[in-house]
């Protein structure tokens, strides 16, 4: 029988039993009570009707009340662990904080299992699911009713614990470590030597409301993770200073985007067979108000964190199109231009339409537009990536996998990705002549690319010896300071106009 039908039967069963008993017993009892007095029988029948309705109404109320309450409670709780959902945790925590005076301290702790992916693989799917349930049970059994427990993610929980004694208030770390021990116990019991990182914040020191405290604890957790596995960090003001700096940078970046203060440099790429220019990579540039250049390696991650990547790319692509047109490079002298996009941009649902619209002005130019994304971006949702890259390929847009070799590319998935180019990460090129493992990686990438019919670009070529070596390894093209740094559009255009192969920097 389906579960819902069974539950419904359980609800109506008491009513049925009462009804049958009532029919059998009540009339008999009435007849016995009144003897032959018909008037009294009529009055008592009416009274009996009222009594029946009152009893059944009360029963119906109790039954529906208890079932609705259970449904509500289930909605408030995570079904697997029985812990609170994040929203309710925050609400309850705010209620608690309102009742607490500032003299009473409270610890808010977030715990996260290190390398949960590895743990789940070692335990297997069923056992790891079971362990998560047991973690919930064990936490609920171990903490008193004045503590709040919440599940924030697959392998992440938040715990709010009042610091009851002066000793705990003075030294809250042992409380956090004990909580971590409790959290990990079911994993140890399952024979899995797992560790966890923790981030902790203190009320009232680090915040007066639930949201602020949880944000402080997650900032502390990030710091703990960055120190490696098995660390517990308390929120500290220096962290908030780092957060504030990032926020400040994001604000300045937002303004720079709005004021169109970003510009683009172009780094030539050359065929290894004859050093003739084959294309270029567009690299965004930003000069701060103090006249100093701010590196994209610093501000692109901030753009990602503060959701500015799309606005930034729109400016970059707009600038590239304006630069190429103004420099007269739409005459066929530039075969290809590569533009970098971040994983979050690539993952957006409207990516295909958005990119088509951005590149529309180039549609009839003899310049091949190419998008560089990392392997990580492409493999995050392989099916969707294949669809997107194929669809854009039909509109004449190529794709390159950037920083290739550093991610977790599965070769099988590479087979299915309809990209045109692999860019070997700079770190392998930098050591290609000293480290045999780098050389082996470069060689295996070119062999693989050959099988799949992909172009290989060696990035970060800084010396003649590296250029020679990547040529020997059958890379198709090179890019790097040896042949040219990224250039302003006017310098880049004159380089192309000069014609002929790219010459090493020292010759120029
Ligand atoms: P990337 O895509 O790997 O770009 C290549 C980086 O290597 C560039 O740094 C370039 O200036 C530098 N480079 C070129 N040749 C050499 C060399 O021979 N030796 C060394 N050591 N480095 C070389 P840049 O311009 O500072 O950019 C850093 C990263 O920022 C880029 O790495 C890319 O991931 C990101 N980025 C740059 N422009 C954009 C953009 O417009 N949009 C997005 N989303 N990301 C961008
Ligand atoms: Ca790139
Ligand atoms: Ca790269």
């Amino acid at each position: 029988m389906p579960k819902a039908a069974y539950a419904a039967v359980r609800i109506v069963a008491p009513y049925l039993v009462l009804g049958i008993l009532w029919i059998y017993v009540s009339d008999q009892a009435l007849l016995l009570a009144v003897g032959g007095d018909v008037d009294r029988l009529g009055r008592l029948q009416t009274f009996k009707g009222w009594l029946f309705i009152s009893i059944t109404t009360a029963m119906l109320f109790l039954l529906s009340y208890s079932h609705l309450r259970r449904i509500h409670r289930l909605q408030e709780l995570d079904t697997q662990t029985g812990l609170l959902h994040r929203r309710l945790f925050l609400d309850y925590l705010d209620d608690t904080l309102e009742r607490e005076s500032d003299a009473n301290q409270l610890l808010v702790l977030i715990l996260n299992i290190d390398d949960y992916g590895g743990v789940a693989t070692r335990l297997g799917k069923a056992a790891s699911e079971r362990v998560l349930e047991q973690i919930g049970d064990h936490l609920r059994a171990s903490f008193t009713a004045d503590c709040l427990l919440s599940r924030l993610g697959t392998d992440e929980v938040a715990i709010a614990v009042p610091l009851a004694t002066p000793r705990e208030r003075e030294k809250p770390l042992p409380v956090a470590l004990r909580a971590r021990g409790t959290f990990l116990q079911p994993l140890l019991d399952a024979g899995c030597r797992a560790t966890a990182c923790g981030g902790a914040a203190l009320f009232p020191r680090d915040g007066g409301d639930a949201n602020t405290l949880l944000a402080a604890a997650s900032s502390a957790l990030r710091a703990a993770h960055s120190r490696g596995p098995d660390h517990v960090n308390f929120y500290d003001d220096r962290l908030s200073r780092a957060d504030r700096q990032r926020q400040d940078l994001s604000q300045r970046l937002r303004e720079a985007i709005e004021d169109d203060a970003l510009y683009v440099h172009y780094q030539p790429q050359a065929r290894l067979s004859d050093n003739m220019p084959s294309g270029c990579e567009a690299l965004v540039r930003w000069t701060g108000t103090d006249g100093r250049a701010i590196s994209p390696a610093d501000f692109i991650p901030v753009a990602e964190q503060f959701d500015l990547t799309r606005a930034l790319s729109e400016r970059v692509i707009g600038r590239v199109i304006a630069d190429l047109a103004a420099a007269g490079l739409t005459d066929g002298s530039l075969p290809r231009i590569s533009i970098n996009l971040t994983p979050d941009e690539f993952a957006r649902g409207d990516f295909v339409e958005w990119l088509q619209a951005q590149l529309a002005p180039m549609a009839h130019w003899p310049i091949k537009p190419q998008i560089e994304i990392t392997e990580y971006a492409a493999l995050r949702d392989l099916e969707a990536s294949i669809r997107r890259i194929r669809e854009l390929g039909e509109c004449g847009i190529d794709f390159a996998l950037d920083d290739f070799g550093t991610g977790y590319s599965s070769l099988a998935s590479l087979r299915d990705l309809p990209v045109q180019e692999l860019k070997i990460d700079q770190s392998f090129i930098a050591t290609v002549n000293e480290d045999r493992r780098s050389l082996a990686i470069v060689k295996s990438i070119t062999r693989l690319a050959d099988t799949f019919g992909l172009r290989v670009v060696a990035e970060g070529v800084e010396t003649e010896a590296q250029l020679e070596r990547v040529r020997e390894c059958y890379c198709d093209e090179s890019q790097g300071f040896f042949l040219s740094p990224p250039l302003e559009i006017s310098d880049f255009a004159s380089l192309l106009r000069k014609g002929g192969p790219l010459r090493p920097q020292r010759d120029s």
Side-chain angles (χ1 to χ4, degrees):
M1 188 189 298
K3 261 187 180 169
Y6 180 68
V9 168
R10 278 187 45 193
I11 294 174
V12 296
Y15 174 81
L16 188 70
V17 172
L18 179 80
I20 291 168
L21 283 177
W22 189 268
I23 289 168
Y24 270 101
V25 178
S26 64
D27 283 351
Q28 304 283 349
L30 274 191
L31 285 174
L32 275 178
V34 298
D37 186 342
V38 180
D39 273 0
R40 247 184 102 201
L41 183 64
R43 279 199 305 279
L44 281 175
Q45 284 282 18
T46 311
F47 174 72
K48 189 176 77 141
W50 280 113
L51 191 63
F52 184 76
I53 294 228
S54 311
I55 292 173
T56 50
T57 307
M59 272 180 72
L60 202 59
F61 172 80
L62 285 175
L63 286 169
S64 42
Y65 177 73
S66 75
H67 280 267
L68 287 173
R69 226 170 79 105
R70 248 190 87 207
I71 290 167
H72 275 293
R73 278 202 64 76
L74 286 178
Q75 281 169 351
E76 291 167 2
L77 299 179
D78 173 64
T79 43
Q80 191 173 30
T81 58
L83 304 181
L84 297 170
H85 286 311
R86 175 194 294 262
R87 184 68 259 149
L88 211 74
F89 174 77
L90 288 170
D91 286 351
Y92 284 176
L93 184 56
D94 270 329
D95 289 349
T96 310
L97 296 178
E98 261 169 40
R99 287 196 306 271
E100 295 284 333
S101 74
D102 280 6
N104 294 341
Q105 290 191 13
L106 197 120
L107 172 78
V108 175
L109 176 69
I110 303 180
L111 294 166
N112 182 291
I113 299 171
D114 297 318
D115 182 28
Y116 177 69
V119 169
T121 313
R122 285 204 301 280
L123 283 176
K125 188 167 165 21
S128 53
E129 301 266 308
R130 216 167 29 248
V131 159
L132 290 175
E133 274 170 36
Q134 287 162 354
I135 287 179
D137 291 346
H138 191 56
L139 285 174
R140 280 183 288 124
S142 310
F143 284 90
T144 49
D146 53 352
C147 299
L148 294 172
L149 301 163
S150 167
R151 184 182 195 185
L152 299 182
T154 311
D155 59 327
E156 188 164 293
V157 301
I159 305 175
V161 195
L163 297 175
T165 65
R167 192 182 165 72
E168 285 180 346
R169 286 195 278 275
E170 204 173 306
K171 286 200 165 65
L173 180 63
V175 181
L177 293 179
R178 265 202 309 279
R180 182 175 63 168
T182 310
F183 174 61
L184 287 174
Q185 193 59 48
L187 276 160
L188 300 180
D189 292 346
C192 186
R193 288 176 50 82
T195 55
C197 275
L202 292 170
F203 168 82
R205 191 193 74 180
D206 302 326
D209 64 273
N211 264 317
T212 314
L213 286 167
L214 204 66
S218 45
S219 162
L221 180 66
R222 275 198 299 280
H225 273 309
S226 68
R227 290 169 61 203
D230 210 20
H231 280 99
V232 172
N233 259 41
F234 272 75
Y235 182 71
D236 120 15
D237 232 13
R238 273 168 302 173
L239 282 179
S240 81
R241 229 173 295 148
D243 285 349
R244 269 202 301 277
Q245 273 170 0
R246 288 171 80 79
Q247 219 149 31
D248 178 51
L249 187 64
S250 78
Q251 188 49 39
R252 286 191 288 136
L253 178 60
R254 199 183 301 268
E255 284 162 15
I257 294 170
E258 277 165 15
D259 301 345
D260 207 3
L262 301 178
Y263 53 102
V264 178
H265 278 178
Y266 300 83
Q267 187 171 34
Q269 297 163 327
R271 286 199 303 251
L272 274 161
S273 55
D274 54 8
N275 279 359
M276 285 298 286
S278 52
C280 70
E281 178 174 7
L283 295 158
V284 66
R285 294 289 175 260
W286 179 22
T287 308
T289 41
D290 58 1
R292 289 223 302 263
I294 304 168
S295 164
D298 292 330
F299 68 79
I300 295 290
V302 169
E304 286 184 279
Q305 187 186 348
F306 290 89
D307 199 23
L308 294 171
T309 48
R310 181 166 269 197
L312 180 138
S313 294
E314 288 179 1
R315 289 294 181 174
V316 168
I317 297 175
R319 179 56 89 101
V320 164
I321 290 169
D323 280 352
L324 295 181
L329 288 182
T330 56
D331 57 357
S333 49
L334 175 65
R336 187 181 68 228
I337 182 149
S338 297
I339 291 165
N340 292 283
L341 293 180
T342 58
D344 66 294
E345 289 175 277
F346 183 66
R348 287 199 185 201
D350 61 348
F351 174 70
V352 171
E353 300 77 36
W354 172 79
L355 190 66
Q356 280 170 338
Q358 297 306 308
L359 295 177
M362 292 182 69
H364 300 293
W365 291 359
I367 306 175
K368 175 65 94 180
Q370 178 169 268
I371 298 302
E372 295 192 4
I373 50 168
T374 56
E375 293 165 75
Y376 164 71
L379 298 184
R380 214 156 58 165
D381 181 351
L382 185 63
E383 293 299 311
S385 299
I386 294 171
R387 248 195 340 270
R388 284 180 191 148
I389 295 177
R390 189 162 290 145
E391 229 174 294
L392 287 161
E394 282 162 15
C395 317
I397 300 168
D398 278 4
F399 274 81
L401 290 183
D402 205 358
D403 307 338
F404 192 75
T406 54
Y408 306 92
S409 53
S410 111
L411 301 185
S413 47
L414 191 62
R415 184 196 60 191
D416 301 324
L417 271 175
V419 298
Q420 283 70 32
E421 181 180 300
L422 302 181
K423 293 190 83 176
I424 304 182
D425 189 64
Q426 310 191 352
S427 59
F428 302 116
I429 308 301
T431 51
V432 72
N433 281 315
E434 292 84 42
D435 186 342
R436 282 179 35 217
R437 284 168 303 182
S438 296
L439 180 63
I441 288 173
V442 172
K443 281 184 175 164
S444 60
I445 292 177
T446 51
R447 218 170 299 136
L448 179 81
D450 187 41
T451 316
F452 292 135
L454 305 177
R455 179 173 56 239
V456 178
V457 178
E459 245 197 314
V461 175
E462 294 184 350
T463 66
E464 182 149 27
Q466 288 169 356
L467 191 78
E468 286 313 318
R469 186 47 69 95
V470 296
R471 187 177 284 138
E472 277 166 30
C473 294
Y474 302 108
C475 288
D476 299 291
E477 297 181 11
S478 79
Q479 176 184 342
F481 295 159
F482 181 65
L483 286 184
S484 172
L487 301 170
E488 282 181 24
I489 184 66
S490 52
D491 294 337
F492 178 58
S494 25
L495 182 92
L496 286 185
R497 226 163 270 125
K498 217 165 58 189
L502 293 186
R503 305 251 168 246
Q505 285 299 288
R506 57 185 151 81
D507 288 353
S508 57

mmCIF file of all heavy atoms in Angstrom, residues 281 340 372 402-404 423-426 459, ligand 3:
data_model
loop_
_atom_site.group_PDB
_atom_site.id
_atom_site.type_symbol
_atom_site.label_atom_id
_atom_site.label_comp_id
_atom_site.label_asym_id
_atom_site.label_seq_id
_atom_site.Cartn_x
_atom_site.Cartn_y
_atom_site.Cartn_z
ATOM 1 N N GLU A 281 46.037 37.021 -27.981
ATOM 2 C CA GLU A 281 45.155 36.887 -26.824
ATOM 3 C C GLU A 281 44.891 38.283 -26.270
ATOM 4 O O GLU A 281 45.829 39.062 -26.058
ATOM 5 C CB GLU A 281 45.805 36.017 -25.736
ATOM 6 C CG GLU A 281 44.925 35.908 -24.484
ATOM 7 C CD GLU A 281 45.457 34.932 -23.428
ATOM 8 O OE1 GLU A 281 46.584 34.422 -23.590
ATOM 9 O OE2 GLU A 281 44.731 34.702 -22.448
ATOM 10 N N ASN A 340 39.383 35.778 -22.929
ATOM 11 C CA ASN A 340 39.215 34.943 -21.720
ATOM 12 C C ASN A 340 37.850 35.155 -21.083
ATOM 13 O O ASN A 340 37.405 36.283 -20.935
ATOM 14 C CB ASN A 340 40.266 35.323 -20.678
ATOM 15 C CG ASN A 340 41.665 34.953 -21.109
ATOM 16 O OD1 ASN A 340 42.050 33.797 -21.047
ATOM 17 N ND2 ASN A 340 42.415 35.936 -21.594
ATOM 18 N N GLU A 372 38.587 31.517 -24.504
ATOM 19 C CA GLU A 372 39.429 30.669 -23.654
ATOM 20 C C GLU A 372 38.706 30.421 -22.335
ATOM 21 O O GLU A 372 38.342 31.363 -21.624
ATOM 22 C CB GLU A 372 40.773 31.351 -23.375
ATOM 23 C CG GLU A 372 41.600 31.512 -24.633
ATOM 24 C CD GLU A 372 43.049 31.917 -24.360
ATOM 25 O OE1 GLU A 372 43.451 32.014 -23.185
ATOM 26 O OE2 GLU A 372 43.767 32.135 -25.356
ATOM 27 N N ASP A 402 42.188 26.662 -21.645
ATOM 28 C CA ASP A 402 43.306 27.442 -21.108
ATOM 29 C C ASP A 402 43.977 26.675 -19.963
ATOM 30 O O ASP A 402 43.345 25.824 -19.341
ATOM 31 C CB ASP A 402 42.727 28.758 -20.568
ATOM 32 C CG ASP A 402 43.753 29.873 -20.550
ATOM 33 O OD1 ASP A 402 44.923 29.622 -20.910
ATOM 34 O OD2 ASP A 402 43.383 30.992 -20.177
ATOM 35 N N ASP A 403 45.210 27.020 -19.690
ATOM 36 C CA ASP A 403 45.957 26.438 -18.560
ATOM 37 C C ASP A 403 45.862 24.916 -18.585
ATOM 38 O O ASP A 403 45.711 24.273 -17.535
ATOM 39 C CB ASP A 403 45.418 26.956 -17.207
ATOM 40 C CG ASP A 403 45.374 28.474 -17.172
ATOM 41 O OD1 ASP A 403 46.107 29.104 -17.953
ATOM 42 O OD2 ASP A 403 44.610 29.038 -16.372
ATOM 43 N N PHE A 404 45.932 24.341 -19.773
ATOM 44 C CA PHE A 404 45.675 22.906 -19.907
ATOM 45 C C PHE A 404 46.761 22.092 -19.202
ATOM 46 O O PHE A 404 47.942 22.393 -19.293
ATOM 47 C CB PHE A 404 45.596 22.500 -21.386
ATOM 48 C CG PHE A 404 45.050 21.123 -21.561
ATOM 49 C CD1 PHE A 404 43.701 20.880 -21.399
ATOM 50 C CD2 PHE A 404 45.894 20.055 -21.837
ATOM 51 C CE1 PHE A 404 43.183 19.606 -21.515
ATOM 52 C CE2 PHE A 404 45.386 18.771 -21.959
ATOM 53 C CZ PHE A 404 44.033 18.551 -21.799
ATOM 54 N N LYS A 423 45.758 25.095 -24.653
ATOM 55 C CA LYS A 423 46.879 25.978 -24.307
ATOM 56 C C LYS A 423 47.623 25.355 -23.134
ATOM 57 O O LYS A 423 47.094 25.316 -22.012
ATOM 58 C CB LYS A 423 46.368 27.372 -23.918
ATOM 59 C CG LYS A 423 45.735 28.104 -25.082
ATOM 60 C CD LYS A 423 45.466 29.540 -24.733
ATOM 61 C CE LYS A 423 46.710 30.395 -24.912
ATOM 62 N NZ LYS A 423 46.417 31.816 -24.661
ATOM 63 N N ILE A 424 48.826 24.873 -23.416
ATOM 64 C CA ILE A 424 49.584 24.201 -22.351
ATOM 65 C C ILE A 424 49.961 25.227 -21.294
ATOM 66 O O ILE A 424 50.478 26.299 -21.614
ATOM 67 C CB ILE A 424 50.858 23.547 -22.912
ATOM 68 C CG1 ILE A 424 50.502 22.573 -24.036
ATOM 69 C CG2 ILE A 424 51.623 22.835 -21.801
ATOM 70 C CD1 ILE A 424 51.699 21.842 -24.606
ATOM 71 N N ASP A 425 49.700 24.893 -20.052
ATOM 72 C CA ASP A 425 49.927 25.853 -18.974
ATOM 73 C C ASP A 425 51.390 26.282 -18.891
ATOM 74 O O ASP A 425 52.308 25.488 -19.091
ATOM 75 C CB ASP A 425 49.499 25.229 -17.642
ATOM 76 C CG ASP A 425 49.503 26.270 -16.542
ATOM 77 O OD1 ASP A 425 48.710 27.219 -16.650
ATOM 78 O OD2 ASP A 425 50.316 26.156 -15.615
ATOM 79 N N GLN A 426 51.566 27.569 -18.551
ATOM 80 C CA GLN A 426 52.908 28.159 -18.463
ATOM 81 C C GLN A 426 53.846 27.375 -17.549
ATOM 82 O O GLN A 426 55.046 27.337 -17.782
ATOM 83 C CB GLN A 426 52.813 29.569 -17.891
ATOM 84 C CG GLN A 426 51.796 30.440 -18.567
ATOM 85 C CD GLN A 426 51.940 31.899 -18.146
ATOM 86 O OE1 GLN A 426 52.710 32.203 -17.252
ATOM 87 N NE2 GLN A 426 51.233 32.784 -18.809
ATOM 88 N N GLU A 459 52.194 28.237 -23.938
ATOM 89 C CA GLU A 459 52.055 29.569 -23.338
ATOM 90 C C GLU A 459 53.241 29.881 -22.442
ATOM 91 O O GLU A 459 53.809 28.973 -21.828
ATOM 92 C CB GLU A 459 50.809 29.557 -22.444
ATOM 93 C CG GLU A 459 49.724 30.452 -22.904
ATOM 94 C CD GLU A 459 48.736 30.696 -21.780
ATOM 95 O OE1 GLU A 459 48.340 29.732 -21.105
ATOM 96 O OE2 GLU A 459 48.371 31.857 -21.593
HETATM 97 CA CA1 LIG B 3 46.739 30.433 -19.600
#
